[in-house]
Amino acid sequence: MEKPRLSESQEDYLKEIFKLREVNETVSMQDLARKLDVRPPSVTGMIKKLCAMKLVEHEPYKGVQLTETGEKIALEVLRHHRLLELYLARHLNYSWDEIHEEAERLEHVISEKFEAAIADLLDHPTHDPHGDPIPTVELEIPDSPDMKPLSAIKVYQTIIIGRVMTQDKDILSLLSRLELIPGQQIELIRNEAAGIRVRVDGSQYLVPQTIARLIWCESPDT
Amino acid sequence: MEKPRLSESQEDYLKEIFKLREVNETVSMQDLARKLDVRPPSVTGMIKKLCAMKLVEHEPYKGVQLTETGEKIALEVLRHHRLLELYLARHLNYSWDEIHEEAERLEHVISEKFEAAIADLLDHPTHDPHGDPIPTVELEIPDSPDMKPLSAIKVYQTIIIGRVMTQDKDILSLLSRLELIPGQQIELIRNEAAGIRVRVDGSQYLVPQTIARLIWCESPDT
DNA sequence: AAGATGAATTAGTTATGCCTAATTTTCGTT
DNA sequence: AACGAAAATTAGGCATAACTAATTCATCTT
């Protein structure tokens, strides 16, 4: 199958469809419009084009889905993005909340060679600094530990943060300051109406429910 | 003065005007069209826009010049490009003839932060792997040693290559294979009609005049 | 079963940045 | 001083990817 050259826009559409599909059963035009920060008619238009290119399938008024080829491209972009995030953090001293924005621009521009070079340098990592899995060179998604949202953990215990499910800069910056980042061990204290009370590194915080839903943790049992 | 956000195209125009200005007294629309690989009417159109933005000055049917602001931007792009070239070569194992192409795309996309990070890592270098000076953070052009083209050196002696004045991938690849790269010591043997005969690293080559004009050397005397 | 509502689509516009074809300007020659 | 060639410009178009406004469709409520 020929590999068509896509615009950055088109790559972003495919990437977002993929990411939304991981969460929702079906991907609506509205969801895409929100994520891509464009108006719905723009989405309809672009989806039509991607459809013509056989990168997505679209039943009007229903939803969108990636074709095999479309998914391949989405995974490539995702691999670029996540490798870059780790690279920026590890080798260029970027802080945890700064990496997303820079990777977002670089992901469309780096060559296969660049990808391979940083993958090598990073020793072919499986997860990025936010805990997101990095697709392999063969574009398989590596396994992640079993996780559930902090907001859904009932048993009070010591657990490890595995993944933070947001790209919002302000939230990331906050979580970074509180050390609520993947790899961090935290202690669940109490589930209050307003949020989850946790101990991190000796300090206690009340994590609001909205934010607790974004923090996924490895739960050793139940 | 406000820093306007420019398109990649616009940055490329400013960069090329600057580079042409270093060589020619005056920059023609044709020169630009050739370098940027577009047709002359496109150049006229874009120059008009850059003129309106006060980034260039243009007397129709005469030539183009950068304004102060335009030159600043050109130097920023050039700094990005040349830092990136050195970075790719030093840290990501790119070969000498591969760096230009990748830097060409990345230069428009990296942030100030990225620039600062690699400049730090490279210990604030003054010249890139092709011997081109890297503008400083303050956008001053660092001094280079006195040089003249290999084709213009009369006295037969041992000299050091300082700069290679081409971005042509094929020529770069050839020169790379022959080790005719900045820093290399070479011995002038004879000036023949067809070219300059030199000894490099024990091997003898005949460097055609066209190529000898691209290789600038530090000449200790005369 | 008929609206009402919200999602999706169509129609038509805009801004970039390129193109070709036609025209104008400049300048070196005679 | 006039001509011809080369360079530059204008005029008019095309593709991309956004947008707004208007319309159509699907579904939920009563």
Side-chain angles (χ1 to χ4, degrees), chain A residues 87-88 92 94 98 102 105-106 109-111 113-114 117 121, chain B residues 87-88 92 94 98 102 105-106 109-111 113-114 117 121:
Chain A
Y87 182 68
L88 294 170
L92 296 186
Y94 272 64
E98 291 173 323
E102 188 94 46
R105 277 173 292 118
L106 287 166
V109 162
I110 65 172
S111 64
K113 164 127 196 148
F114 194 103
L121 221 59
Chain B
Y87 183 69
L88 294 170
L92 295 186
Y94 273 63
E98 290 173 326
E102 188 95 46
R105 277 173 290 117
L106 286 167
V109 161
I110 65 172
S111 64
K113 164 127 197 148
F114 193 104
L121 223 59

Side-chain angles (χ1 to χ4, degrees), chain B residues 10-27:
Chain B
Q10 292 170 338
E11 288 184 353
D12 280 335
Y13 275 83
L14 296 179
K15 184 182 65 173
E16 283 308 334
I17 294 169
F18 183 91
K19 290 204 287 180
L20 284 168
R21 203 64 205 308
E22 287 183 315
V23 181
N24 308 333
E25 189 51 46
T26 163
V27 176

Side-chain angles (χ1 to χ4, degrees), chain A residues 15-71:
Chain A
K15 185 182 63 171
E16 284 307 333
I17 294 169
F18 184 90
K19 290 204 288 180
L20 284 168
R21 204 61 207 309
E22 287 184 315
V23 180
N24 309 333
E25 188 51 46
T26 163
V27 176
S28 71
M29 300 291 114
Q30 260 198 338
D31 291 344
L32 273 172
R34 251 192 304 274
K35 289 286 187 184
L36 295 165
D37 197 27
V38 297
R39 311 274 132 233
S42 307
V43 177
T44 302
M46 181 60 95
I47 290 300
K48 247 187 191 163
K49 253 181 261 179
L50 294 172
C51 227
M53 295 188 228
K54 305 273 190 201
L55 299 174
V56 305
E57 271 158 23
H58 179 218
E59 277 215 65
Y61 295 99
K62 292 285 164 56
V64 211
Q65 258 191 296
L66 294 174
T67 63
E68 194 116 341
T69 322
E71 185 168 305

